[in-house]
Amino acid sequence: METGDIGPGLCCASFNQDSTSLAVGTKTGYRLFSVTSVDKLDCIHESTETPDVYIVERLFSSSLVVVVSESMPRRMNVYHFKKGTEICNYSYSNNILAVRLNRQMNVCLCSLIESIYIHNIKDMKLLKTLLNTPSNPSGLCALSINHSNSFLAYPGSDTIGEIIVYDANNLSTVTMIPAHDSPLAAITFSASGTKLASASERGTVIRVFSIPEGLRLFEFRRGMKRYVNISSLSFSPDAQFLCASSNTETLHIFKLKQHSPSGEEDAPSWSAYVGKMFTAASSYLPAQVSGMMSQDRAFATVRLQMAGQKNVCTLATIQKLPRLLVASSDGQLFIYNIDPQDGGECTLVQKHRLFGSNKDWEETEKCELTEPPQACQSYAATVAIPTSGPVTATLTGYSEDGGAKKGEVIPEHEFAAGPVCLDDETEFPPVSIRSIGDQVM
């Protein structure tokens, strides 16, 4: 969500990198919730020491959290919330507009001085300062969470939709993607760091590019009649789906399916037949018209209970089923079921409150659960793409609320080379307070 006050008592909301946790900033501090269950929303931490928090980011399911408040908008505070200690804080010469985290880097972007600061997440050392970046008043940027493909994306222009892709490992620019004709409104990476989705301020077309090549892979049309403000883009964990939320009442989910070389579907259908007719006719039509005809439409949709409110969405697997999570600016979390085979209208199964007293958190609105029969395949089995073999790692010495349990096999993208043990008291010792000016690294 954008910075600033966006609702009664709620200033910001963000899901962590693997969508197991939700962080919200409020007028009185910030709260962290575990979102690994549909029926129960656990508040795992609450802090009232810092008021008016407009940025709060948690590193996966660890104890590390980054906080920025309106009272000190130029200072980034890094906490170990389980111990209640501050690891460090950094002061910048201008307001902080966005913070992005992965297991290796901590990216802090200050748009008023048109700069991006890249820190090492382990010791918070400043690794690189990108100066004279295009004016970026919304602080738009994205950071991939895969350690092998640790890329940073940010606007390359303030007048058109150019995307700069920067290698955060080698600290060098990779490519520039001419994504849209109008300025960017949203960008996000897939978990593997090999795909990048983008939307412009017009909000009618969403595009997906290969990384690092920058080749266009998919193009989706969100709508045609009106321009909208897309506030959130999110890939599913396996990058087979992409959700987009805006200031309208409809949220869209797109399916990233690869068409066969012949362009035919596995099973002939009337829609496939009509699609082939449009494809054949598009060669005789103007480029703008044929381009619109070739764009894929939403695979699934959600009709939100509110319109005109800012929200942030994410796709996650909760209790072995695909879910869509939407945190709204009025302080509610909506959980929807998704049909990964047929799509269509998603079903609301639960609604939780995000602020208020502890009693209020427990007074959630019950919705009828419509779980698929147990015989149905799991989400991962339904949409997984065949590969030469999954890359996995065995987790050792890591246990946090909302995260994997000790000894459980987790995806490769969860780790950096030589994983950081965030529960180790010596891993993030307090460091001296630092101030960062306009310096070139």
Side-chain angles (χ1 to χ4, degrees), residues 18 20 60-62 103 145-147 191 237 389-400 402-422:
D18 57 4
T20 59
F60 284 87
S61 297
S62 74
R103 290 206 187 279
I145 63 174
N146 184 289
H147 76 272
V391 181
T392 59
T394 301
L395 189 63
T396 58
Y398 183 82
S399 61
E400 279 279 359
K405 302 302 180 183
K406 182 176 180 179
E408 187 176 340
V409 175
I410 65 172
E412 176 268 346
H413 70 260
E414 287 274 0
F415 282 109
V420 176
C421 184
L422 296 168

Side-chain angles (χ1 to χ4, degrees), residues 8-9 24 26 28 31 33 43 46 331 353-362:
V24 297
T26 69
T28 59
R31 293 169 183 157
F33 299 92
C43 180
E46 179 183 10
R353 297 181 183 180
L354 296 176
F355 60 90
S357 65
N358 288 332
K359 183 178 180 181
D360 290 334
W361 294 338
E362 296 171 359

Side-chain angles (χ1 to χ4, degrees), residues 83 423-429:
K83 297 178 186 176
D423 295 325
D424 188 348
E425 292 187 3
T426 63
E427 194 68 52
F428 285 105

Side-chain angles (χ1 to χ4, degrees), residues 185-388:
I187 48 177
T188 190
F189 283 100
S190 63
S192 65
T194 58
K195 292 183 178 67
L196 176 70
S198 67
S200 72
E201 291 181 350
R202 292 183 178 179
T204 54
V205 175
I206 297 169
R207 296 188 171 107
V208 178
F209 302 91
S210 65
I211 299 298
E213 300 85 5
L215 301 177
R216 186 186 301 182
L217 300 177
F218 302 95
E219 187 170 84
F220 304 105
R221 177 158 289 275
R222 194 216 56 81
M224 297 176 61
K225 295 182 179 180
R226 55 177 174 171
Y227 293 167
V228 301
N229 298 320
I230 292 182
S231 58
S232 179
L233 291 173
S234 179
F235 285 97
S236 62
D238 52 19
Q240 290 302 289
F241 295 92
L242 175 68
C243 65
S245 65
S246 67
N247 59 335
T248 68
E249 67 282 359
T250 305
L251 189 148
H252 299 79
I253 300 175
F254 305 96
K255 189 171 185 178
L256 282 66
K257 58 181 179 180
Q258 297 286 356
H259 298 285
S260 63
S262 63
E264 297 180 354
E265 302 290 339
D266 293 335
S269 64
W270 171 251
S271 60
Y273 173 73
V274 173
K276 285 191 290 184
M277 289 180 59
F278 276 129
T279 301
S282 64
S283 60
Y284 301 99
L285 297 172
Q288 184 176 6
V289 177
S290 63
M292 291 174 59
M293 292 173 62
S294 64
Q295 293 162 350
D296 290 332
R297 302 307 174 94
F299 171 75
T301 58
V302 166
R303 202 79 169 171
L304 300 175
Q305 297 181 354
M306 69 288 183
Q309 294 185 12
K310 297 178 183 178
N311 58 75
V312 61
C313 64
T314 190
L315 293 167
T317 302
I318 301 178
Q319 296 169 320
K320 298 183 179 181
L321 290 173
R323 318 282 188 176
L324 170 68
L325 284 68
V326 183
S328 65
S329 62
D330 62 351
Q332 297 186 86
L333 174 67
F334 300 89
I335 302 178
Y336 297 85
N337 276 351
I338 306 169
D339 186 335
Q341 294 178 323
D342 297 326
E345 186 72 18
C346 298
T347 305
L348 176 65
V349 292
Q350 192 60 270
K351 181 167 67 172
H352 299 283
R353 297 181 183 180
L354 296 176
F355 60 90
S357 65
N358 288 332
K359 183 178 180 181
D360 290 334
W361 294 338
E362 296 171 359
E363 292 177 353
T364 58
E365 181 176 332
K366 297 295 182 181
C367 302
E368 182 180 357
L369 290 175
T370 55
E371 301 286 358
Q374 294 298 319
C376 291
Q377 287 183 302
S378 68
Y379 174 56
T382 303
V383 300
I385 296 179
T387 61
S388 57

Side-chain angles (χ1 to χ4, degrees), residues 92-163:
Y92 300 85
S93 58
N94 284 276
N95 292 359
I96 301 170
L97 299 179
V99 173
R100 298 291 181 264
L101 302 171
N102 68 14
R103 290 206 187 279
Q104 288 180 294
M105 303 292 172
N106 172 24
V107 175
C108 181
L109 184 147
C110 307
S111 71
L112 293 182
I113 56 172
E114 299 159 344
S115 302
I116 296 177
Y117 297 92
I118 302 177
H119 296 265
N120 186 305
I121 198 68
K122 188 171 183 178
D123 57 12
M124 299 307 296
K125 177 182 178 183
L126 181 63
L127 300 177
K128 186 73 175 181
T129 303
L130 304 178
L131 296 175
N132 302 317
T133 59
S135 178
N136 187 9
S138 65
L140 182 63
C141 62
L143 180 67
S144 64
I145 63 174
N146 184 289
H147 76 272
S148 299
N149 301 306
S150 188
F151 296 113
L152 165 69
Y154 61 93
S157 170
D158 58 357
T159 58
I160 60 175
E162 292 181 348
I163 304 173

Side-chain angles (χ1 to χ4, degrees), residues 83-95:
K83 297 178 186 176
T85 59
E86 182 181 80
I87 298 171
C88 66
N89 65 63
Y90 276 83
S91 294
Y92 300 85
S93 58
N94 284 276
N95 292 359

